[in-house]
Amino acid sequence: MEIQYYKEPSRFLKREMEFKVFGHSGLPCLAFACEGGRFYDWEDHGMVAALAPLIDAGKIQLFCADSVDAESWLGSGEGRARSEMQERWFNYLTGELIPRVLTLNGGTRERVALLGCSLGAGHALNLYLRRPELVCGAICLSGSYSAAPWFGPYHDDLTLRNSPLEYLPLLHTEGLPSTRLAPLFLCCGRGPYEEDFLADTRAMAQALTDRRMPAFVDYWGEDVSHDWPWWAKQAAYFLPQLLQQLTSKTKPTA
């Protein structure tokens, strides 16, 4: 497997940001780790190994992003500073990292697929909803989709922008561009430590239904815990389905 490591400056974050690339070609997939996660977590916790058949076959190219969760969602400082840090990171993703991903992928594609687990699933869904023109599909596993548990009573315009469960009911979805209909998969287990994430997944599924925004939602068994081994199985299960949907959309019709 071809592996590349990058550490590049960000004008939005005013620091160097790291990311890692696995594979040589295929659908560019941008991956987010769970809360406080780092760019190496997907590799360290078996996610890359689980997706190795797709990576080695050139069907996907996996890009593992770094986070600033420690200074935003998990931070202990003043609320506005934390929400501003989150928004700067969002702008880094959309204005710097995704264009870089597309260039490294060969420069022939205009959109990326998104993968995330736990808080990383929230980041993925937030990006899917806010910048649909950049996204061709998303897989969100055991997601946390509200800023409220992380920011507590603090609330401002930026926490709202990064809280899909709060802003989705406010969206006017009539006449949404077709890019809003990119394939979306939500999955959560019903086992240990999944209670809050299961509640968020069910609430998000209902919010999407209310807005007539299609998504495939799957609830796994009571033995399925909030942990990397299950996310690895889920990612390996759903990614071929996403690839199949994207391939069928590109085939000419009679």
Side-chain angles (χ1 to χ4, degrees):
M1 182 186 300
E2 184 176 325
I3 302 175
Q4 300 177 64
Y5 163 80
Y6 294 89
K7 186 175 183 179
E8 300 178 343
S10 165
R11 70 181 186 277
F12 289 106
L13 294 168
K14 303 186 188 312
R15 67 181 71 176
E16 291 185 312
M17 292 295 289
E18 298 169 279
F19 63 96
K20 209 164 184 178
V21 185
F22 301 87
H24 57 281
S25 65
L27 178 71
C29 297
L30 182 58
F32 305 106
C34 58
E35 55 270 20
R38 298 298 310 277
F39 69 96
Y40 45 74
D41 283 354
W42 272 56
E43 182 179 21
D44 289 355
H45 293 284
M47 300 292 282
V48 174
L51 300 178
L54 296 174
I55 297 171
D56 291 337
K59 293 184 177 181
I60 69 168
Q61 191 175 27
L62 187 66
F63 295 79
C64 294
D66 215 349
S67 80
V68 294
D69 290 347
E71 300 166 67
S72 54
W73 297 83
L74 302 175
S76 58
E78 187 268 329
R80 185 63 182 183
R82 294 169 58 203
S83 66
E84 287 178 349
M85 175 59 73
Q86 166 59 25
E87 188 68 9
R88 285 197 295 273
W89 182 73
F90 182 87
N91 291 331
Y92 156 73
L93 295 177
T94 59
E96 296 176 333
L97 185 57
I98 289 180
R100 185 73 169 120
V101 164
L102 294 172
T103 297
L104 291 171
N105 184 247
T108 61
R109 302 173 190 262
E110 297 180 350
R111 295 190 284 167
V112 301
L114 304 173
L115 308 170
C117 43
S118 196
L119 182 55
H123 294 327
L125 186 60
N126 188 44
L127 183 49
Y128 173 94
L129 292 170
R130 287 182 60 182
R131 295 295 303 272
E133 76 280 4
L134 298 177
V135 181
C136 64
I139 297 172
C140 305
L141 309 174
S142 301
S144 175
Y145 303 119
S146 171
W150 307 96
F151 282 84
Y154 182 80
H155 180 78
D156 64 20
D157 60 314
L158 297 182
T159 60
L160 177 61
R161 287 187 198 179
N162 292 282
S163 186
L165 273 178
E166 276 66 60
Y167 68 65
L168 187 57
L170 305 178
L171 294 180
H172 297 287
T173 54
E174 297 81 0
L176 284 174
S178 59
T179 48
R180 290 272 186 193
L181 304 180
L184 173 61
F185 297 83
L186 305 181
C187 181
C188 190
R190 292 179 290 172
Y193 310 109
E194 285 281 55
E195 294 86 355
D196 292 341
F197 305 93
L198 181 59
D200 266 24
T201 300
R202 287 174 170 157
M204 179 52 61
Q206 186 60 55
L208 291 165
T209 298
D210 292 343
R211 282 290 176 264
R212 299 181 182 179
M213 300 176 73
F216 179 82
V217 185
D218 200 8
Y219 302 106
W220 286 27
E222 295 181 359
D223 59 328
V224 178
S225 60
H226 191 81
D227 205 356
W228 290 100
W230 284 109
W231 297 330
K233 293 178 182 179
Q234 291 165 354
Y237 177 77
F238 288 112
L239 250 177
Q241 297 183 46
L242 175 58
L243 288 168
Q244 183 177 20
Q245 288 199 30
L246 295 178
T247 300
S248 64
K249 284 187 177 183
T250 60
K251 288 181 179 179
T253 56

